[in-house]
Amino acid sequence: MARAPVRRNLRPRASRTSLAARARGIALAIFDVDGVMTDGRIYLGESGEEMKAFNVLDGHGIKMLRESGIEVAILSGRRARCVERRAGELGIKHVIQGAGEKLPVFHALLETLRLKPDQAFYMGDDLVDLPVLMACGLSFTVPDAPAEVRRSVHQVTRRRGGEGAVRDACETLMRLRANKAEASGRIGG
């Protein structure tokens, strides 16, 4: 007889209500790069420089998110100068690259910003992201992430990494926050 797969420390997908409640407290949105802000491909130039393709829709989503009052950070396991350049273009002050283990870096960033884990949103796409995805207040991933990652997050975007997934996440986060604020009478006519 076949056994059902074991679910270890995985959270059920959140309802719209619980997503809105979680979104209300978010002060910091953190994004992985490869597979989230990009499609995961790495281009190497003749002189060894690393290049990545970033989606302009994602960039505008990040700018809108920042304008809505949410601080934005990048947390990546790899290092690339093009990531620093893109972060600069988008006004992202907190850029952490080369993070072998992301959870201690996540906690250090929170400590620097004097935030609690439930005030952080994180979007990652691979197994190395699971510790942060499980520790933050609201977590998203992309549809082509491993099944264990997709089952562990609060929301899976419609679009894939590098194809507007970050924009989806930014718009969803802002919409959830606006709906919650509207319901409590803080915005509107």
Side-chain angles (χ1 to χ4, degrees):
M1 172 175 12
R3 297 164 100 190
V6 177
R7 289 176 54 111
R8 285 170 258 202
N9 298 323
L10 302 179
R11 32 174 103 136
R13 290 234 175 107
S15 70
R16 272 314 225 198
T17 305
S18 67
L19 281 176
R22 287 177 176 280
R24 185 182 71 194
I26 298 300
L28 172 66
I30 308 168
F31 296 93
D32 180 28
V33 176
D34 297 314
V36 173
M37 294 180 79
T38 74
D39 64 7
R41 288 188 263 183
I42 298 167
Y43 302 91
L44 299 175
E46 287 293 322
S47 59
E49 74 275 12
E50 186 172 307
M51 296 170 279
K52 301 172 190 287
F54 295 94
N55 188 303
V56 71
L57 294 175
D58 291 344
H60 189 65
I62 287 172
K63 287 181 178 180
M64 291 188 310
L65 196 62
R66 287 186 50 248
E67 289 170 3
S68 78
I70 296 175
E71 188 72 39
V72 177
I74 289 175
L75 175 56
S76 179
R78 295 183 54 86
R79 286 186 186 278
R81 281 184 282 178
C82 58
V83 171
E84 290 175 22
R85 179 173 176 194
R86 185 64 175 148
E89 292 172 353
L90 299 175
I92 300 172
K93 298 179 215 166
H94 309 283
V95 181
I96 304 157
Q97 297 191 76
E101 286 188 49
K102 294 183 177 184
L103 190 60
V105 176
F106 168 74
H107 285 297
L109 177 60
L110 293 180
E111 188 174 319
T112 297
L113 298 174
R114 296 186 176 160
L115 296 173
K116 297 176 184 171
D118 65 345
Q119 293 177 287
F121 161 92
Y122 183 68
M123 185 171 182
D125 72 313
D126 212 342
L127 298 173
V128 298
D129 296 303
L130 272 175
V132 179
L133 290 166
M134 299 300 292
C136 68
L138 186 59
S139 58
F140 280 35
T141 196
V142 293
D144 51 340
E148 186 172 357
V149 173
R150 291 192 317 271
R151 287 191 309 261
S152 300
V153 299
H154 295 107
Q155 183 86 18
V156 176
T157 61
R158 289 172 297 138
R159 292 186 260 187
R160 295 171 22 159
E163 297 177 4
V166 170
R167 176 67 170 263
D168 282 353
C170 292
E171 287 180 352
T172 300
L173 182 53
M174 289 184 296
R175 186 172 46 254
L176 288 167
R177 289 168 54 89
N179 289 344
K180 187 65 175 180
E182 203 169 76
S184 66
R186 285 186 294 208
I187 64 172

